[in-house]
Amino acid sequence: MASSNSSYHSRPRVQGHTAPSFIEKRSRFMRWLLKLFKGTDGGVSNGDHSSVTGGENSLHKLGENSLHKPVKPVNDQSKGENEDLDHAIALSLAEDAKKPNGYKGQGNDDDELAKAIQESLSMPSSQPYQPVQSLPRGYRICGVCHNEIGCGHYISCMGTFWHPQCFRCYACGQLIREAEFSLSGSDPYHKLCYKELHHPKCDVCHEFIPTNRTGLIEYRAHPFWGQKYCPSHEHDHTPRCCSCERMESRSTRYISLGEGRSLCLECLDSAIMDTGDCQALYHSIRDYYEGLYMRIDQQIPMLLVERQALNEAMEGEKDGHHHQPEIRGLCLTEERTVSSIHKRPRIWGNRILDMRTCAQKLTRKCEVTAILVLYGLPRLLTGSILAHELMHGWLRLKGYRNLSAEVEEGICQALSHMWLESEVMPGSTRMPSSSSYASSSSSSSSSSWMPLSKKAGKSDIEKKLGQFFMYQIAHDTSTAYGEGFRAANAAVNKYGLPRTLDHIRLTRSFPI
């Protein structure tokens, strides 16, 4: 095969006259050389290695550039040319052997031959010769069986190669015969299989979340639970649990408590439904306060009520603060007649039946008339509301007056958060020792903390609910409850609860 540094055979110079047959044969040889150095019209195909481009997890189309045919060996293409070259050289040598000694050819024969070869090398070719690039062994390795593909048919995409029989869906294992397919990393998928695995589904209607006008998948997600749902469910009256805030799934049914409230089955499992059920919890929280050396001597009545009774009682209060935006508890300071839940209702299907209420007249015997809590909430949420409202009562009984909403609601939220922490994470619960705080009027320079005994009998879901209620308090965005809690919590963590309360008494603000 000719190379870029071409060489030619110089003819021997002999004396004598040139025979016509030699000239004719030399002319044929020269024409053959011209044809050889100009190159042949047939190009050498080395296969097409183009791949479909696209990002990861994108949709690809299987076209002509992806399915490759076997490569024809180079030796078969150049075999004919090599035979012609050998034959021409043999004829030339045979003619030279027949020449008599002393034969003298024309003096410029060699010069003409050299000139002809030089011109043939400098002539442009319509299809320049492309050298064959031999691929190293193992260059194309199947991405599934990891065997060499060789010269057979193969499929390529994004730098990965497959035997046609190995090009199977990573999910279902069936051959991919469609023109379009999806690719995740180097794993191919049927289009529908990939959508089933990776396209997000709504946790409410269990359908694929639709794309918006720009073609992007848009959904809502709860910041704590991670529940994903279509944006349309925020406006189609899908029930939402009044306790944990999760939306009702189409595969389950929430319990309707009336008054526009619904309760999921997990929250219902520990829900407190009447005043009698709540008494044990109420007294345990009073004991918790006593453990903090914040004993409440007065017997403050506690009632579980419906939302309407709570709203009516709140409207009758001249001052005081309450939960926002939905009222769940109230520390009552005025004398009123309140309708409380007297008997636990029955649950039939997804509704409650036989709700029995009892009107109770509340008389004022001290600064606090009663504590009202919304019925039908889980135990931990009910307890956190009781801890909050008891702190309101403690502040009023101990003479804390004219506090701003941020300070009063903030310290009440801090006590509520502390109680939840003692229930959910007892190993890290903070509780002051007797040496740090003896009474509400004494001052202390430091506080020491010791863990409470671990609470038993809580399920994993109840602990998760407690963590969510703590999350709600910590991430509240309102000024009084949110900013107030974060300021109170920072002060308690830095100075301890006794010094923080003393500072509030003196300055009506949190220590910095």
Side-chain angles (χ1 to χ4, degrees), residues 196-211:
E196 187 70 28
L197 286 174
H198 298 284
H199 191 110
K201 281 188 174 182
C202 176
D203 293 331
V204 175
C205 63
H206 306 297
E207 300 292 338
F208 290 115
I209 295 178
T211 57

Side-chain angles (χ1 to χ4, degrees), residues 333-503:
T333 59
E334 302 292 331
E335 293 188 352
R336 294 188 64 86
T337 299
V338 177
S339 178
S340 64
I341 308 297
H342 179 67
K343 181 181 178 181
R344 182 185 183 94
R346 293 188 304 109
I347 298 175
W348 179 262
N350 67 327
R351 296 183 178 276
I352 58 173
L353 301 175
D354 299 335
M355 170 77 74
R356 292 188 181 182
T357 60
C358 178
Q360 186 171 346
K361 183 173 177 62
L362 300 174
T363 58
R364 183 173 180 176
K365 298 179 180 179
C366 59
E367 293 292 327
V368 179
T369 304
I371 291 178
L372 308 181
V373 178
L374 188 63
Y375 92 100
L377 300 177
R379 174 184 176 275
L380 291 179
L381 180 56
T382 303
S384 67
I385 297 172
L386 281 172
H388 179 102
E389 301 303 334
L390 268 178
M391 189 60 190
H392 278 300
W394 187 89
L395 291 172
R396 292 171 185 173
L397 292 173
K398 301 301 179 182
Y400 288 74
R401 296 287 187 270
N402 302 322
L403 298 180
S404 65
E406 184 175 350
V407 172
E408 184 169 347
E409 297 297 345
I411 195 63
C412 291
Q413 286 289 75
L415 265 294
S416 177
H417 192 275
M418 287 172 59
W419 180 83
L420 283 171
E421 188 177 359
S422 71
E423 294 288 311
V424 177
M425 298 178 289
S428 60
T429 300
R430 301 164 298 180
M431 182 175 177
S433 66
S434 58
S435 61
S436 63
Y437 194 61
S439 64
S440 61
S441 60
S442 63
S443 299
S444 174
S445 60
S446 64
S447 62
S448 60
W449 308 92
M450 64 180 180
L452 285 175
S453 60
K454 291 187 177 182
K455 306 294 188 297
K458 291 185 180 63
S459 63
D460 291 338
I461 183 59
E462 188 175 8
K463 293 178 181 178
K464 192 69 176 178
L465 285 172
Q467 293 171 6
F468 169 65
F469 303 142
M470 293 174 63
Y471 173 89
Q472 276 188 312
I473 294 174
H475 293 83
D476 195 308
T477 58
S478 65
T479 301
Y481 294 90
E483 297 299 332
F485 163 74
R486 287 182 279 276
N489 192 54
V492 171
N493 287 335
K494 185 175 182 179
Y495 300 104
L497 181 60
R499 291 185 60 187
T500 300
L501 291 174
D502 288 340
H503 193 277

Side-chain angles (χ1 to χ4, degrees), residues 239-278:
R240 187 188 295 268
C241 180
C242 64
S243 169
C244 65
E245 297 183 349
R246 288 177 291 183
M247 280 194 167
E248 179 186 66
S249 170
R250 296 293 186 264
S251 60
T252 60
R253 294 301 301 272
Y254 283 6
I255 303 301
S256 175
L257 300 178
E259 305 176 318
R261 295 198 299 147
S262 296
L263 198 66
C264 72
L265 300 181
E266 292 174 338
C267 291
L268 177 67
D269 187 57
S270 63
I272 298 179
M273 305 298 287
D274 62 35
T275 301
D277 290 343
C278 195

Side-chain angles (χ1 to χ4, degrees), residues 97-114:
K98 294 179 182 180
K99 302 300 181 291
N101 293 334
Y103 174 81
K104 182 176 180 181
Q106 296 179 357
N108 59 350
D109 286 347
D110 293 339
D111 294 337
E112 290 178 359
L113 178 61

